[in-house]
Amino acid sequence: MNGIKDVLTDFRNFLFLVWKHLNLPAPTKAQYDIASYLQQGPKRSIIEAFRGVGKSWITSAYVCWLLLRDPQKNILVVSASKDRSDAFSTFTKRLIAELPVLAHLKARNGQRDSTVAFDVGPARASHSPSVKSVGITGQLTGSRADVIVADDIESLNNSMTQTMRDRLAETVKEFDAILKPLDTSRIIYLGTPQTEMSIYNKLPERGYEMRVWPARVPQDMVRYNGALSPYITSMIERGVASGTPVDPERFGEIDLMEREASYARSGFALQFMLDTSLSDADKYPLKLRDLMVTSLDPRMAPCKLVWCNDPDKIADDLPVVGLSGDKLYRPMWASNEMAEYTGCVMAIDPSGRGDDETTYAVVKILHGNLFVVASGGFKDGYSEATLASLAAISKEHGANEIIVESNFGDGMFSQLLKPIVARVRPVTITEVRHSQQKERRVCDTLEPLMNQHRLIIDAGVVRKDYEETKDPLRQLMYQLTRMTRDRGSLSHDDRIDVLAIAVAYWVEHMARDTNKAADEHNQNMLENELRKFTDNALGRSAKGAMNWMNV
């Protein structure tokens, strides 16, 4: 480099100095490309880069470079959580404190000097600090900034449902009120999409330019709608094979394969390939709109229910974690005739001490319809508390049979569960073993039933699934809507798998036509009422006559 002039003129030179100070290898080509876009990008920019590429560190260095060039700038850092944004500003403050070229930017006596809001030495008095960090749900109103850095404002916890995404989309509109009306002012988004309906996809409609750096050279450029970095498009034009690592100095093929195995296909597609496209209509075969959701009695259910997708029947009071436009609907009509469930099965998928849960699902049957009345999971494997809780759930719902997935453990779980269940309410425990690929088995079991709208789920199950499951990826409704037939499509699929096991138990009973079953029930009810009437009105002789007629 040719001295301070080169450092001030080209941010990439400054980034090299920062990396050298941090004892890191020289920035990679991908990191230099991100740095170049940070410097030269438009007023409203979106940087989508795969996890681990270092976009936040690069942008912290960029904030220091901006203040080195102009100490009068005010920069606001916003993240999904306050801790995240504070970490950004803390790292920036440490760079200023440690890097010799930035020594004159250290705060002076009388200036703000906290990790969440600090001034740089040459800054003039101002209501706004040189650098301030805030969470996206924090106090944005009243702030003023030349540059707003929105660093990972989207997380699973604030973008899982459509309501959350709408709220987040409204919140970020506040940025335009905060931004100073200067030609040099900028809003820069950094992030990786958390859902297929990521807020980042909506921002280009508001005048933002998106630039995308996936972890591998993509096979289909069209999926990125022209947002791929020219650095990557040039690789494709040079004939670099799809699947080739974009940043091989840091993430080689073996490393990416390990991460893909960990995140599963859908998670890897979002977090590393930044692919939010839903071009394949059959990619996600299980839709919330094919279910019926209603409040279920533990003993009885309507003899007949009619499905609809009328907007008036949308279950607005329930959390929806499905894909964009997918909704939960209540029945259009439910008969006044009620009947006790004709069967109840509880399925359990045990886990060891690993990351998986011991999950359960309770499904009841009546007149060809299946009713999901309970679903959940336990993290402590084969513990006494888990076994006791499962036994209690079996008793509460009156399960006629308990089915245990026995692919692992050689039946040990069943042997541990039997004496505990016997003390609470004796019930048959049966083991099942599956050899078919899990994803195909789940979809092949649930899709036909849901397409016929014969799977009804208790509203309480939906609410509990959302409110009591801290990790969104473990929620039943999330797993249901993201399951594909691809092997390893989900990082966690325990709850949807155990539901499919319970449903498969009843499949052989589903051959009966729902309408025929309801008609038979009504006929039986009518005959019973007629017998009661004749007994009371005409006495025993009439009853004998009725029996003779039936013969």
Side-chain angles (χ1 to χ4, degrees), residues 117-128:
F118 63 88
D119 293 319
V120 295
R124 294 187 292 268
S126 171
H127 285 287
S128 299

Side-chain angles (χ1 to χ4, degrees), residues 281-282 284-287 290 440-453 455 485 503:
D282 297 325
Y284 301 103
L286 308 178
K287 308 289 195 302
D290 289 330
R440 290 188 176 277
R441 171 173 54 81
V442 169
C443 292
D444 290 347
T445 299
L446 295 179
E447 185 180 12
L449 189 71
M450 292 174 62
N451 287 348
Q452 298 174 40
H453 315 301
L455 189 63
R485 286 182 166 84
V503 167

Side-chain angles (χ1 to χ4, degrees), residues 19-62:
W19 259 224
K20 185 177 181 180
H21 168 75
L22 296 172
N23 291 320
L24 296 174
T28 65
K29 293 179 181 179
Q31 290 175 333
Y32 274 136
D33 195 45
I34 293 172
S36 179
Y37 186 71
L38 270 171
Q39 179 178 350
Q40 301 172 11
K43 184 172 184 175
R44 288 174 168 79
S45 308
I46 306 168
I47 293 175
E48 274 195 8
F50 61 91
R51 290 180 66 107
V53 73
K55 54 188 177 295
S56 294
W57 281 35
I58 296 171
T59 309
S60 282
Y62 176 69

